[in-house]
Amino acid sequence: MTIFGKMFARVLPDQAAGRLLDYRVPESMADSIGIGSRVRVPVRTRLLTGTVIEMLATCEFKSVRDVSQLVDEKPMIRPALLELARWMADYYCCPLETAVCSVLPVAVRDGRVSVKKQNSVRLIAPIAEEQLEALARKAPRQADALRVLIKAGGPLPVSTAADQAGVSDSVFRTLEKNGLVVIESAVVGRNPYSERFVPNAELVLNAEQTEAMVAVREAMEKPGQPILLFGVTGSGKTEIYLRSIRESVNQGRTALVLVPEIALTPQTVERFKSRFADMQDRIAVLHSHLSEGERHDEWHKIHDGSARIVIGARSSIFAPLENLGVIIVDEEHEGSYKQDEAPRYNARDMAVLRGAREGAAVILGSATPCLESWHNSQTGKYRLVRLNQRVDDKSMPVVRVVDLRRQARATPEGGILAKPLYEAIEGRMAKGEQTILFLNRRGFSTSMICEACGHVCQCPDCSVSLTYHRAAERLVCHICGHTRKAPKACPKCSDPKIRFAGVGTQKVEEALKKIFPKARIARMDADSMTRKDAYRDTLGAFKEGKIDILIGTQMIAKGLHFPNVTLVGIVNADLGLHVPDFRAGERTFQLLTQVAGRAGRGEMEGEVYVQTFTPFSPSIQFARHHDFQGFMEQEMEFREKFAYPPFGRMAMITLRGTVRERVEFSAQTLSRKLKSAARKGITIGEGVPAPLEKAKTYHRFQVSMRGSSSMHLSRLAKETLETLTMPEDVFVAVDIDPLHLM
Ligand code: ADP
Ligand code: ZN
């Protein structure tokens, strides 16, 4: 039935269970509503918030209800991003409403955070120099006020403009009366980085960088083939990012930069902000430490077009920029680009997709590209651009492997440092140079084990052992956070011979304080960095040379740049190596290379010590020789042999529930159904316990899927799950292209 002159909206409620509902648009909303509008609509007896997915001229239902309310005056989700959400729901096998919600930050989604308004002032029309001079003779203060606005080139808060001109606010009101400026109430941002930055000039590019920029310009003119920028640490990739952004902005386009959350440090942000000091108000920064209000403001700054450059972590891939010129993904191999709840997207892959759809160049940068990206660069899907030299031809640090099996443990403090590393630290300290010690495990000891009966203190809710934290004398579960007092005797056999096994960052710190009593030592990990500014303060102190030895987890592996660090020690390289995941070798190689890259960033040569019980493992040997190519060749061979990614695609379905038998039964049923529905070329695994068998009181089982196309795996999973009724207390998560198989 057509009702002439009326419009209808097809709405996807945020909690919809996949249903799309049609509503009539009241006349009062007709001008403002559109695709991507956020609305409140009646569903049975309730009002639900949702998103307009389509606008319709007709409606096939006789009695449709009205849209009750518009949440925001203007549509919040651009059609391009809605399309991206649709694709994501399909590919990553999640409900459409989950995908749609994920492109809007929570702070924006429900319109709860109010905007801060303030009077701002701007010129009505350009003002000629003669006019200014004439005015200066009559009313010098008005002329000063105008000069400030001319210099700003855009609106300024009245108070700021008055400050800068050294006049009172009333001068601007006089100018408004005379028709030279307008004062309007405008939204102002709560700028989380409100300091002023010193401009930093462009550097003269070296030959490799110059070539890289040629490729970038070509990609901006003719997008479609993403660039894999493969450059060793310190080869000047960031300079390429900065130039590409400038290029894009100069063309009147925008730029989006993704960095791993952990690398989104003040240091990184500062580097970008200072290069674009001339347009600071046009840069938005999005990361997880923002308050709801700040996030809301930054988002709106992008949405209304005032921000032209966005720097952010994973979810910033959905930043509502228009007219994108370039999308940059730094450290493209990073696992943190993968979201670990639905939609389980990988921001790097979404960047490639978004770039293709919106005609933007895509640059994926890394010193250790992941196998998937490397493979794509070999098949021609990506264009490989290399930076082989460190800037100024600085040599790569020398990497020495310390075989812990053969080293007499030289130090009295639990043998954390073998003799060569101990002596190296001593030597650096004598020269006034700095050391970074890396250990990928926080806490004091890994676990408490009873020497008498072998009992290990386990988390009651997860299948992992508890970690000892010395400062609080407590045992903590790193999966669920369960914590309890550390026992003085074995909880099982009461023997007091309970002791600690393994080493964590806290223990390293304590041991080092005893070994080097004069050294100034600091630790950076999730436990020591709980205070808001701790990160910045510690790094600041380290940079100023107030710390001799910095101990830390991944937190210190990324993107830091300290010229005075000449020694990096890796306390135990084996930690990530012996885990049940086919990517273990790749991750270890990447981590060693990244950590090693922290050494010798200045004038002095760097040195790296890697302590290990398995010195001949390929990841360690190839990393030692800075041999990326060698590692890739051997790792590709292994992946191809077993049809692991990038040679095949994977999906992992994880089921969890509180009653083990029900989860197990459901997993087995699911596996059977998938097998009978699978087309040729798709392999379905059995329903087996997950490597992490129990987490947060839930028992976990998995069914793996392998095939040549992720989309096929996703469809099969979706269709099969639709035909199955799971027990109410069994929850299912589908992960397409999973990165973690635990
Ligand atoms: P990457 O991101 O590849 O690790 P960076 O971009 O951080 O490398 O560069 C390392 C250092 O070299 C930085 O201090 C940077 O300012 C400097 N640098 C980069 N390019 C040049 C250049 N063309 N000339 C001089 N210095 C440069
Ligand atoms: Zn636990």
Side-chain angles (χ1 to χ4, degrees):
M1 184 174 99
T2 311
I3 309 172
F4 185 73
K6 297 275 174 12
M7 276 194 300
F8 299 90
R10 182 157 289 171
V11 175
L12 176 72
D14 290 352
Q15 279 103 25
R19 274 176 314 161
L20 291 168
L21 305 169
D22 291 352
Y23 294 90
R24 201 183 68 92
V25 174
E27 221 132 287
S28 60
M29 294 177 199
D31 290 340
S32 14
I33 201 168
I35 291 177
S37 284
R38 299 282 292 163
V39 292
R40 313 257 303 153
V41 291
V43 178
R44 295 212 191 89
T45 57
R46 290 193 299 160
L47 273 188
L48 296 182
T49 308
T51 309
V52 177
I53 296 290
E54 249 176 281
M55 294 298 294
L56 310 162
T58 61
C59 178
E60 54 191 273
F61 306 106
K62 275 217 181 64
S63 62
V64 292
R65 299 163 82 180
D66 279 10
V67 173
S68 306
Q69 198 192 330
L70 264 177
V71 177
D72 301 279
E73 288 159 36
K74 278 190 242 140
M76 284 287 115
I77 309 182
R78 303 198 184 300
L81 285 174
L82 263 184
E83 280 308 304
L84 210 61
R86 269 188 214 277
W87 184 90
M88 195 159 53
D90 240 21
Y91 185 89
Y92 289 108
C93 192
C94 80
L96 183 57
E97 60 272 19
T98 312
V100 167
C101 282
S102 70
V103 310
L104 275 186
V106 186
V108 177
R109 213 180 290 161
D110 42 16
R112 259 191 296 129
V113 183
S114 65
V115 291
K116 216 161 89 185
K117 291 210 169 177
Q118 182 178 323
N119 283 335
S120 80
V121 54
R122 62 178 169 85
L123 292 172
I124 285 181
I127 292 179
E129 187 55 35
E130 307 87 73
Q131 201 184 346
L132 255 185
E133 277 165 19
L135 186 65
R137 282 190 290 275
K138 275 195 323 206
R141 273 179 310 178
Q142 289 183 28
D144 288 346
L146 286 177
R147 280 189 212 282
V148 164
L149 292 180
I150 293 169
K151 187 151 165 272
L156 280 180
V158 175
S159 52
T160 311
D163 275 356
Q164 285 182 14
V167 302
S168 73
D169 292 9
S170 64
V171 174
F172 288 97
R173 252 167 264 127
T174 314
L175 287 171
E176 189 182 28
K177 266 189 230 125
N178 298 343
L180 291 168
V181 304
V182 275
I183 296 176
E184 54 210 344
S185 165
V187 176
V188 293
R190 285 159 271 230
N191 187 350
Y193 294 93
S194 49
E195 309 104 285
R196 289 274 137 196
F197 288 94
V198 194
N200 105 5
E202 289 199 339
L203 305 165
V204 181
L205 298 185
N206 62 29
E208 286 185 333
Q209 286 174 318
T210 308
E211 261 182 60
M213 278 314 295
V214 171
V216 170
R217 277 188 211 104
E218 283 172 10
M220 287 178 69
E221 260 168 47
K222 220 168 131 276
Q225 192 188 24
I227 291 175
L228 178 63
L229 182 62
F230 169 44
V232 294
T233 47
S235 61
K237 294 186 291 295
T238 311
E239 186 62 27
I240 301 299
Y241 304 155
L242 293 166
R243 294 264 184 149
S244 311
I245 299 168
R246 181 63 84 188
E247 191 86 26
S248 183
V249 170
N250 285 349
Q251 293 179 12
R253 298 160 86 183
T254 60
L256 174 55
V257 186
L258 299 186
V259 298
E261 176 73 46
I262 211 162
L264 201 51
T265 58
Q267 219 184 2
T268 310
V269 174
E270 190 178 330
R271 212 162 153 196
F272 284 86
K273 284 229 162 184
S274 43
R275 176 60 62 82
F276 299 100
D278 56 323
M279 47 183 296
Q280 264 195 55
D281 308 333
R282 313 207 125 225
I283 305 178
V285 181
L286 298 169
H287 61 75
S288 65
H289 293 304
L290 297 180
S291 69
E292 278 226 331
E294 285 167 345
R295 183 181 304 278
H296 174 276
D297 291 353
E298 293 294 285
W299 190 88
H300 276 280
K301 216 163 96 182
I302 307 165
H303 187 67
D304 68 20
S306 48
R308 322 268 317 152
I309 303 171
V310 174
I311 306 165
R314 181 177 60 223
S315 64
S316 310
I317 186 58
F318 304 119
L321 285 166
E322 260 182 316
N323 198 6
L324 266 172
V326 63
I327 307 178
I328 294 160
V329 183
D330 188 24
E331 313 276 7
E332 65 84 31
H333 63 278
E334 259 290 307
S336 63
Y337 284 126
K338 174 91 173 164
Q339 166 127 316
D340 58 7
E341 56 186 51
R344 294 181 168 75
Y345 65 89
N346 188 318
R348 174 199 56 226
D349 300 335
M350 295 306 289
V352 170
L353 186 77
R354 189 170 176 192
R357 291 181 163 224
E358 298 186 33
V362 177
I363 306 174
L364 311 176
S366 178
T368 51
C370 66
L371 272 92
E372 287 81 352
S373 295
W374 185 253
H375 187 66
N376 283 335
S377 79
Q378 303 301 301
T379 61
K381 189 174 170 207
Y382 296 168
R383 174 172 180 180
L384 181 62
V385 175
R386 306 180 75 135
L387 301 177
N388 296 304
Q389 303 296 318
R390 277 190 154 187
V391 174
D392 293 348
D393 277 338
K394 274 171 214 155
S395 53
M396 296 300 281
V398 180
V399 179
R400 303 182 200 283
V401 175
V402 182
D403 184 349
L404 288 177
R405 298 170 308 177
R406 284 194 289 160
Q407 280 297 329
R409 305 262 182 118
T411 58
E413 293 302 326
I416 287 169
L417 303 180
K419 199 167 172 201
L421 179 53
Y422 164 79
E423 286 175 354
I425 298 177
E426 209 172 32
R428 298 295 165 175
M429 279 179 48
K431 284 199 269 179
E433 295 167 13
Q434 290 171 301
T435 297
I436 286 180
L437 277 187
F438 176 84
L439 180 67
N440 213 0
R441 181 187 275 159
R442 60 201 176 90
F444 194 78
S445 305
T446 35
S447 48
M448 284 188 94
I449 182 164
C450 172
E451 284 191 345
C453 76
H455 174 78
V456 176
C457 293
Q458 293 260 341
C459 173
D461 298 333
C462 309
S463 56
V464 296
S465 50
L466 295 166
T467 302
Y468 178 54
H469 286 243
R470 176 65 165 259
E473 278 289 327
R474 295 189 80 80
L475 297 175
V476 178
C477 170
H478 284 188
I479 301 285
C480 74
H482 167 91
T483 156
R484 70 160 81 140
K485 249 183 100 57
K488 296 261 185 293
C490 175
K492 196 162 162 224
C493 72
S494 311
D495 196 293
K497 261 198 294 215
I498 186 147
R499 63 172 190 94
F500 308 109
V503 174
T505 41
Q506 278 190 34
K507 185 159 182 176
V508 173
E509 182 185 21
E510 199 175 281
L512 269 139
K513 281 183 176 156
K514 289 192 189 144
I515 302 168
F516 303 108
K518 289 211 197 79
R520 295 161 301 172
I521 298 171
R523 174 166 61 92
M524 272 180 76
D525 56 30
D527 299 310
S528 67
M529 293 293 125
T530 47
R531 201 165 48 80
K532 193 170 176 243
D533 296 323
Y535 194 84
R536 182 190 294 227
D537 292 351
T538 307
L539 286 185
F542 193 55
K543 195 170 191 174
E544 287 165 25
K546 292 180 186 155
I547 295 168
D548 301 311
I549 306 173
L550 182 64
I551 303 161
T553 53
Q554 288 99 313
M555 217 180 242
I556 59 170
K558 305 275 179 253
L560 301 178
H561 183 73
F562 299 107
N564 198 36
V565 172
T566 49
L567 175 64
V568 168
I570 293 158
V571 178
N572 183 351
D574 304 334
L575 280 182
L577 212 45
H578 311 294
V579 294
D581 189 330
F582 69 88
R583 287 194 178 87
E586 179 184 10
R587 291 214 184 93
T588 301
F589 177 83
Q590 287 166 345
L591 196 63
L592 293 184
T593 307
Q594 292 286 341
V595 177
R598 301 307 117 214
R601 306 268 295 189
E603 293 305 313
M604 294 155 289
E605 244 186 43
E607 210 179 16
V608 179
Y609 282 81
V610 180
Q611 301 195 132
T612 173
F613 284 99
T614 51
F616 299 109
S617 98
S619 309
I620 292 175
Q621 282 304 324
F622 284 116
R624 169 191 193 174
H625 294 111
H626 310 290
D627 186 2
F628 177 82
Q629 207 104 15
F631 178 73
M632 278 292 149
E633 276 163 27
Q634 105 124 37
E635 190 70 11
M636 285 288 182
E637 215 171 276
F638 153 68
R639 300 278 180 97
E640 188 161 19
K641 190 165 159 206
F642 294 96
Y644 283 132
F647 296 97
R649 297 306 192 97
M650 252 181 131
M652 185 63 87
I653 306 183
T654 304
L655 301 88
R656 65 185 169 96
T658 44
V659 181
R660 191 174 194 277
E661 292 68 35
R662 272 213 284 280
V663 184
E664 181 168 24
F665 179 76
S666 305
Q668 286 165 354
T669 312
L670 176 61
S671 163
R672 220 176 27 248
K673 292 256 176 182
L674 285 169
K675 278 182 184 169
S676 68
R679 62 162 93 181
K680 209 166 154 264
I682 293 184
T683 323
I684 307 294
E686 301 298 325
V688 293
L692 181 63
E693 275 187 55
K694 199 178 168 204
K696 305 180 187 179
T697 73
Y698 290 111
H699 296 276
R700 307 170 78 248
F701 276 77
Q702 289 182 333
V703 179
S704 68
M705 304 172 75
R706 311 260 292 268
S708 57
S709 144
S710 298
M711 199 58 116
H712 289 164
L713 298 180
S714 175
R715 294 220 175 103
L716 176 62
K718 191 172 208 159
E719 284 159 14
T720 309
L721 285 167
E722 274 166 7
T723 65
L724 263 177
T725 347
M726 289 279 164
E728 239 172 45
D729 61 346
V730 173
F731 304 94
V732 182
V734 182
D735 193 353
I736 308 290
D737 304 335
L739 278 189
H740 292 279
L741 306 177
M742 301 298 277

